[in-house]
Amino acid sequence: MKNPFKEKPWYKTLSNKYVWVSLSFLTWMIFLDNYSYFEHRFLNKQIDELEENASYYQNEIKKDEEKIKQLKNPLQIEKYAREKYFMKKDSEDIYIIEFKGDTIKKEE
């Protein structure tokens, strides 16, 4: 019995052992290996996120260094304490002024 597809070009290609070895190798490398294509994509995304985080924190460090330079001045320390922690001098009085439509409601 003779194979009717033996002379067809697609049969010759698929019956070639080098094609099968190449296909199995590519399948292994793309899907099954520890360093597969998908694993590389995942790792590259993580690297990009970490680089973004690093640049963000470097910018925050620069901002904090500028604040530290400003806080070496006693007048700036006083201004910061007044704004951030609502501190006052002993001789000062603080008055709270409520406006109509404030978001804070009184307990009655």
Side-chain angles (χ1 to χ4, degrees):
M1 184 166 169
K2 191 172 181 183
N3 190 347
F5 301 112
K6 199 165 193 165
E7 297 302 320
K8 302 282 184 182
W10 59 269
Y11 182 79
K12 287 182 180 181
T13 304
L14 288 179
S15 64
N16 190 342
K17 63 182 174 183
Y18 297 109
V19 170
W20 282 104
V21 169
S22 299
L23 286 175
S24 62
F25 176 74
L26 287 175
T27 303
W28 180 268
M29 292 305 290
I30 291 174
F31 297 106
L32 304 174
D33 194 40
N34 285 339
Y35 302 105
S36 67
Y37 171 74
F38 300 111
E39 186 70 22
H40 274 285
R41 283 185 52 201
F42 175 73
L43 292 174
N44 285 337
K45 285 181 184 178
Q46 280 187 336
I47 289 170
D48 292 339
E49 289 176 7
L50 291 173
E51 287 174 349
E52 288 175 9
N53 285 345
S55 64
Y56 169 77
Y57 287 121
Q58 286 173 350
N59 289 335
E60 290 297 315
I61 288 171
K62 288 178 185 176
K63 289 178 187 177
D64 290 342
E65 286 174 350
E66 289 296 321
K67 285 182 183 179
I68 289 171
K69 285 180 186 177
Q70 289 178 354
L71 289 176
K72 289 185 179 178
N73 183 356
L75 295 175
Q76 289 293 332
I77 292 173
E78 182 180 339
K79 179 182 175 186
Y80 183 79
R82 287 173 177 266
E83 291 174 358
K84 184 77 173 174
Y85 298 109
F86 306 112
M87 298 181 115
K88 66 177 186 82
K89 293 181 182 178
D90 289 335
S91 63
E92 289 181 332
D93 291 329
I94 296 178
Y95 298 100
I96 299 174
I97 302 172
E98 293 182 11
F99 293 101
K100 187 176 183 180
D102 278 346
T103 58
I104 300 173
K105 295 183 179 180
K106 293 182 187 177
E107 292 182 25
E108 294 179 9

